[in-house]
Amino acid sequence: MKKNSPAVLQAFIDIFFPRQCFGCETPLKFYEINLCLDCQIRMPLTSLHKTKKNLLFQKLELHFPIENATALFHFEKEGVLAHLIHLFKYQGIQKIALFLGEWLAENLIESGSFQNLNGIVPVPLHPAKKRKRGFNQAELIANTLAEKLKIPVYSHALKRIKNTTALDHLGEINRHREVQNAFLRNPLFSSKPQHLLLIDDVFTTGATLAACAKALRKNSEIKLSIAVLACRL
């Protein structure tokens, strides 16, 4: 009876305070957390963390030296994942970022390739955009990873000094032009040899990550690994 008591308690609580699936808004069963089983099955997992030189790694290493790279999901314009990203990124439901961040952390731990990391650097938002949104989604993910991986987050290692236009509708060449010199390593952040994990929410062309990597690695011996929630490959 004791083994089942948490499940019994959750089932009782759900009677009075029903929880909804973030994906389809149907009531969750007592054994479901955040997503119903149907939505979990429809999440487009990549399994990239199981392969060292995966397709994401190969794309990124064309732009800068890299130790490891992974993405939790394949990005799709429609579907459960797109809905979840929209909810936390544009409607401020930060709990979703924490939930997905924990999922990503489990993949990094399972991989075994993301070891000997000294810290995590989230891709920064421009201050004006962060004030408008109220938070940086990459920083939320980074904080969740840091808790699971037991390493610090360096939120101020990078500064976004250019308020870039929306990149969604730009082609690859124009994306790289738009983010050129958009980031600057904080002069107070150490340039000593260290291995950092650069975090973003979605990888599309790699332009933003490449610009961040260039700024971080300038006149430094910093090594970089990359982790994103979702990628288009």
Side-chain angles (χ1 to χ4, degrees), residues 1-130:
M1 182 68 181
K2 288 184 179 180
K3 291 183 179 180
N4 295 326
S5 58
V8 172
L9 178 60
Q10 185 62 65
F12 179 76
I13 292 174
D14 286 344
I15 295 174
F16 300 97
F17 303 100
R19 298 167 300 130
Q20 288 187 327
C21 171
F22 283 131
C24 62
E25 298 184 354
T26 58
L28 290 172
K29 305 292 192 300
F30 69 88
Y31 52 82
E32 297 172 330
I33 301 175
N34 296 318
L35 287 179
C36 68
L37 290 181
D38 286 342
C39 284
Q40 287 184 42
I41 292 171
R42 287 187 282 133
M43 293 292 277
L45 289 165
T46 66
S47 297
L48 290 177
H49 66 290
K50 297 179 180 180
T51 306
K52 170 75 174 179
K53 294 192 175 183
N54 54 58
L55 187 55
L56 178 60
F57 179 99
Q58 294 173 38
K59 285 197 170 187
L60 286 169
E61 72 170 349
L62 295 175
H63 300 290
F64 58 92
I66 185 173
E67 302 298 312
N68 302 283
T70 193
L72 184 58
F73 304 109
H74 292 289
F75 184 79
E76 300 171 344
K77 290 186 177 180
E78 297 181 357
V80 177
L81 176 63
H83 178 62
L84 294 182
I85 290 177
H86 181 83
L87 286 179
F88 85 73
K89 195 170 180 178
Y90 300 110
Q91 295 190 24
I93 304 179
Q94 299 182 25
K95 184 178 180 181
I96 295 176
L98 304 181
F99 164 61
L100 295 179
E102 289 182 351
W103 200 338
L104 177 58
E106 291 172 1
N107 270 224
L108 297 182
I109 293 170
E110 180 185 339
S111 167
S113 296
F114 293 82
Q115 297 177 347
N116 303 316
L117 292 166
N118 300 111
I120 303 175
V121 177
V123 170
L125 288 178
H126 188 272
K129 187 171 290 186
K130 187 174 182 179

Side-chain angles (χ1 to χ4, degrees), residues 107-170:
N107 270 224
L108 297 182
I109 293 170
E110 180 185 339
S111 167
S113 296
F114 293 82
Q115 297 177 347
N116 303 316
L117 292 166
N118 300 111
I120 303 175
V121 177
V123 170
L125 288 178
H126 188 272
K129 187 171 290 186
K130 187 174 182 179
R131 283 195 298 270
K132 182 178 180 180
R133 184 171 295 174
F135 61 93
N136 175 4
Q137 67 276 6
E139 190 173 343
L140 291 178
I141 298 166
N143 288 337
T144 303
L145 292 178
E147 184 176 342
K148 294 291 184 180
L149 301 178
K150 309 301 181 185
I151 54 177
V153 175
Y154 299 127
S155 299
H156 302 293
L158 276 176
K159 296 181 178 180
R160 196 167 193 144
I161 57 177
K162 178 182 178 182
N163 193 2
T164 54
T165 59
L167 303 178
D168 294 351
H169 304 295
L170 297 180

